[in-house]
Amino acid sequence: MFSLSEVRRPTKWYLFGLMAFVGIVSSLVILMYNDYFLLGDPVRPNNDDVKYIQSARLLLNEGVLAYNTKEAPSAFIMPGLPLMLSGFMAVFGQEQGGIVAFRLFQCLLQTLCIYLIFWIGRRIFNTRAALIACTVSALYPPDYFSSGVILSETTFRTLLLLLVCCTILAMERGGAALYVLIGVLTAAAAYFKPHASLYPAVLLFIWLRTKLPWRTMLKYTLLMGGTYALLLTPWWIRNWVTFHEFILFTNSGGSPFLLGTRIRWQLPPAGFFEAYPQYDPKTIFEGADSAAIRKGLDILRYSFTHEPMKYLYWYTLGRWVELYFHPFYSRPFWPVSRPVMNVAQEVMMYVNMAGILWAMATHRLKLDRLLPLLLALAYFTVIYVPFVAFNRYGYPNMTLLILFGSFLLGDLSARFFRCSHQRSARKEAAAS
């Protein structure tokens, strides 16, 4: 299904060389830097990564999934990462062995992603763009940081690329098996990040564009929805048995919504606390349940009334900047410092955005080819608009953006060499 049988041997050797480079370098980086990549304090868990480690140990030893609740069961997070991490701990030990094994597994995922990037780039654009995208990704420092950090971004990026691959195949071939696989991948992604659950809506746009019969649409929808529901059922049963209520994903959805109202982590506009005296500046951004949602709605109501342009920017272009213009690179390593990476990220993003425009302009008669990439990028960008958005959440999408930028670079270089060749040919003809 993901065969490269039509690819020339030199191209294959270059691709496999890049994969080997990524696998070896990422493994060396995580072994050399080890716990340097921890974002929190293991003794006093104060960040997501060390809390995940704590949750995995508790799950392994007590069979309890908890997060921010000591040893009491919680539904604050989805169980994907603690389950996976606890599996590595069960085999390789709960201390360094299991954690290092998990990091090495992430190195393998990064290596696999190079292959998937090539496959997607070649199917949507051409071999040249695919190779450039793979090369850029192999030299992109945040990918190596992502291999070392104990978070779900590397796994989620892999699942996202697999979803795009399956979407491309579904457009080309159709067939029930592919839509069942998309349901499986969507459920797997939801176990790490629940906002992936509506990804199949992307396919609706594709079906309408390709004028798929409505009976076929219904069949494929039921296949994806049934597969997804079947795979999420254990999580729903666990929550019902533990909390005696139906919890679709988590009970912490209010937190990202409330935090999303903060502009660069500042307090609401002046005058808000006079208009809403029931809130305290010290505790306004605490909470993760329905009360947090009410706070967020009150902040938005006041803010859009008194500072509409500022908040309109924050919920549109501001989200784009927060997601993509700041690199996911919290622990810089030699030889790329954080200031250098900041500049490189901005340059890359301008190239990537120009690449989106260039692709849409040059592929205007073949827009259907771009849809899987464009719609995936649009979905996983728009889904963050109501919620807190920062570089960690934007990182998985950088691969999709790099593909567009690589197409631009490859197309412009091809045009340049073509023009140079034509000029040389004309000169030779004139001389003769």
Side-chain angles (χ1 to χ4, degrees), residues 179-184 187 222-232:
Y179 287 97
V180 170
L181 182 55
I182 290 173
V184 170
L222 290 175
L223 282 172
M224 290 187 295
T227 303
Y228 174 89
L230 180 65
L231 294 175
L232 264 291

Side-chain angles (χ1 to χ4, degrees), residues 257-263 266-269 272-273 276 278-280 283-286 291-307 311 314-315:
F257 175 74
L258 177 59
L259 292 175
T261 66
R262 301 190 73 173
I263 296 182
Q266 301 298 309
L267 288 171
F272 171 80
F273 293 104
Y276 294 89
Q278 67 268 35
Y279 299 135
D280 185 332
T283 60
I284 181 64
F285 291 110
E286 295 178 2
I293 295 176
R294 286 196 299 272
K295 289 181 187 179
L297 290 173
D298 288 338
I299 292 172
L300 291 181
R301 193 176 297 112
Y302 183 89
S303 301
F304 272 100
T305 301
H306 292 81
E307 297 183 1
Y311 276 79
W314 185 244
Y315 276 88

Side-chain angles (χ1 to χ4, degrees), residues 23 82 99 115 186 242 270 346 398:
I99 295 172
Y115 188 93
T186 302
T242 305
E346 287 197 26
M398 275 303 297

Side-chain angles (χ1 to χ4, degrees), residues 139-198:
L139 299 175
Y140 187 54
D143 283 358
Y144 297 97
F145 165 70
S146 183
S147 296
V149 73
I150 309 297
L151 295 173
S152 61
E153 271 57 42
T154 296
T155 303
F156 185 76
R157 182 177 85 137
T158 308
L159 291 170
L160 170 58
L161 291 175
L162 287 170
L163 277 169
V164 173
C165 290
C166 289
T167 302
I168 294 170
L169 290 173
M171 280 184 63
E172 294 177 355
R173 303 178 185 179
L178 278 168
Y179 287 97
V180 170
L181 182 55
I182 290 173
V184 170
L185 290 170
T186 302
Y191 269 108
F192 293 90
K193 294 182 183 292
H195 63 266
S197 299
L198 294 179

Side-chain angles (χ1 to χ4, degrees), residues 57 60 85-101:
R57 287 176 178 149
L60 186 61
L85 186 55
S86 65
F88 282 98
M89 288 181 173
V91 176
F92 299 101
Q94 296 186 33
E95 298 303 326
Q96 283 299 309
I99 295 172
V100 170

Side-chain angles (χ1 to χ4, degrees), residues 322-350:
E322 292 298 309
L323 282 169
Y324 303 125
F325 272 76
H326 307 297
F328 180 52
Y329 196 54
S330 303
R331 292 289 185 270
F333 54 87
W334 185 87
V336 183
S337 65
R338 180 58 190 258
V340 169
M341 191 63 235
N342 288 342
V343 174
Q345 182 82 6
E346 287 197 26
V347 172
M348 286 179 62
M349 277 307 302
Y350 286 121

